[in-house]
Amino acid sequence: MTAYIIRRLLILPIILIGVTLLIFAMLQVLGPVERSALYVRDIPKNEHQVDAIIRRYGLDKPFYVQYWNWLIGVEDGNTGERVGGVLRGDLGYSRSGREPVIDALIRRLPATLELALWSMIPVIGFGIWLGIKAALNHNKPFDQFARIFAILGWSIPTFVFALLLLLVFYAKLDWFQPGRLSIAFSQEILKPGFTNYTNMVTIDALLNLRFDIFLDALRHLVMPVLTLVVIQVALLLKVTRSSMLEEMRQDYVTTARAKGLPEKMVVNRHIRRNALIPVMTVAGLTLAGLRNGVVITETVFDYPGLGSWAAAAALSLDVLSMLGYTLFSAVLLVVANLIVDVLYAVLDPRIRLS
């Protein structure tokens, strides 16, 4: 098991280099003059300033030199210090957020992480449970209901479902509101008596024993979480059901039943364990892919996370912000793949030897 994990960890840097090369190649669509404006906060006033920026950051040098400078930064001709560099945490300046890209990522990450955490548990738990239950009740009413739910849930666009929730629960019933917190509670978390341990409101509210703030934050999370859960549960349900039905037709299942093993043991020890291997792939990538739904969901519900920031950056043609968000998403996807590979080995020991 240890050797398997080490092999996967050794592959990780190679994959990340490939990802960064691809992302940096996207930036090369712009010419040196256009890219020079991405490295400064204020637009250059004349051609001499533009030429100085191009020389400083080596934007007229070969691709591999520019890529290396983009990774580790360049030396300042005046001070001799190295400035910039993705590996140094310098992703450029966000014009839409009016702050460094790395600061925008760090400031908005807890909100998106909180939304993803509250969505993750029902997505995995409910999606897998529904898929298993539907397969065990094949062609029965429960299975028919689950299939209809999966088709409807996966077919409806995210923004349409989100707008329907807003129409019903906010405009008509006024049960839940968009945003992250009510105005009064937004001021409460800024007071000295409230400690922001994680910058995730629900968790910090519990740690501060402020259950009123916790309940208010939950009310604002209901609609965005429900939007993400319905769409992703539908996908996991379909994959789990198909995988379970395929395993139930295997010869080893027939043999186990012929030996007189209880049906519960056959399902839990044989069918479900093997059926969950492909489900782990979809589950891991689904959790990493929540960022795609998060962009739409956060924008519709005015939720101040990475998704709404990325949408605003795209609308304002903020290239560096979009590249920073893309880089963050790519690293998240690579790490999710690594976790899925490890879970493979836990579920099926034969994979460790491959």
Side-chain angles (χ1 to χ4, degrees), residues 9-309:
L9 288 174
L10 291 176
I11 297 174
L12 189 61
I14 300 175
I15 298 175
L16 289 175
I17 290 174
V19 168
T20 55
L21 273 171
L22 181 61
I23 292 175
F24 184 74
M26 295 167 57
L27 190 59
Q28 300 306 300
V29 176
L30 302 174
V33 176
E34 289 82 2
R35 279 184 283 128
S36 66
L38 303 177
Y39 289 88
V40 292
R41 301 187 180 187
D42 299 320
I43 299 176
K45 298 179 180 179
N46 52 58
E47 294 182 0
H48 298 290
Q49 291 181 345
V50 173
D51 293 338
I53 295 169
I54 292 175
R55 289 193 302 270
R56 180 184 183 187
Y57 291 98
L59 301 179
D60 54 348
K61 294 183 178 180
F63 176 82
Y64 64 91
V65 176
Q66 293 187 49
Y67 173 71
W68 182 251
N69 291 338
W70 181 69
L71 281 181
I72 68 170
V74 294
E75 289 188 3
D76 192 318
N78 298 325
T79 62
E81 297 181 356
R82 190 166 294 277
V83 295
V86 171
L87 296 180
R88 297 165 53 87
D90 188 350
L91 301 176
Y93 187 77
S94 171
R95 298 188 184 281
S96 58
R98 296 184 179 181
E99 61 183 332
V101 173
I102 188 65
D103 291 344
L105 283 170
I106 293 174
R107 184 169 58 84
R108 291 175 175 265
L109 178 60
T112 298
L113 185 60
E114 183 176 25
L115 180 58
L117 287 175
W118 280 99
S119 304
M120 177 179 64
I121 298 175
V123 164
I124 294 181
F126 199 53
I128 294 177
W129 177 81
L130 269 179
I132 294 174
K133 198 76 173 176
L136 295 177
N137 294 274
H138 186 47
N139 287 334
K140 294 181 179 178
F142 187 90
D143 183 36
Q144 300 295 343
F145 166 78
R147 291 163 66 181
I148 293 173
F149 172 78
I151 294 172
L152 291 177
W154 188 242
S155 299
I156 187 170
T158 303
F159 74 93
V160 173
F161 187 72
L163 290 174
L164 286 175
L165 291 181
L166 273 177
L167 177 64
V168 175
F169 293 109
Y170 177 57
K172 297 291 184 182
L173 301 176
D174 196 24
W175 288 357
F176 311 113
Q177 290 80 35
R180 196 179 184 190
L181 275 176
S182 301
I183 297 177
F185 290 112
S186 298
Q187 296 173 350
E188 286 292 322
I189 65 173
L190 298 176
K191 292 181 179 180
F194 188 91
T195 305
N196 291 289
Y197 298 99
T198 63
N199 288 320
M200 290 185 280
V201 178
T202 52
I203 296 177
D204 290 342
L206 289 176
L207 294 176
N208 284 273
L209 301 179
R210 290 297 304 271
F211 299 106
D212 53 343
I213 299 178
F214 173 76
L215 292 175
D216 186 73
L218 275 186
R219 290 179 65 237
H220 286 78
L221 280 170
V222 168
M223 288 193 294
V225 166
L226 187 60
T227 301
L228 294 174
V229 166
V230 169
I231 305 298
Q232 301 301 332
V233 162
L235 174 61
L236 267 186
L237 190 161
K238 293 177 64 176
V239 174
T240 305
R241 178 182 177 276
S242 299
S243 183
M244 284 286 294
L245 290 175
E246 183 179 351
E247 291 298 324
M248 289 169 66
R249 301 188 186 102
Q250 299 298 321
D251 292 337
Y252 73 88
V253 176
T254 305
T255 303
R257 286 170 174 160
K259 290 180 178 180
L261 291 178
E263 185 65 18
K264 187 175 182 180
M265 183 179 295
V266 173
V267 172
N268 293 336
R269 290 192 178 183
H270 298 282
I271 300 175
R272 187 171 63 181
R273 185 180 182 90
N274 290 313
L276 285 179
I277 294 176
V279 174
M280 283 297 103
T281 304
V282 178
L285 297 180
T286 297
L287 294 180
L290 279 175
R291 69 189 186 280
N292 296 326
V294 159
V295 173
I296 299 173
T297 304
E298 289 186 355
T299 303
V300 172
F301 293 111
D302 193 25
Y303 193 83
L306 288 177
S308 58
W309 170 66

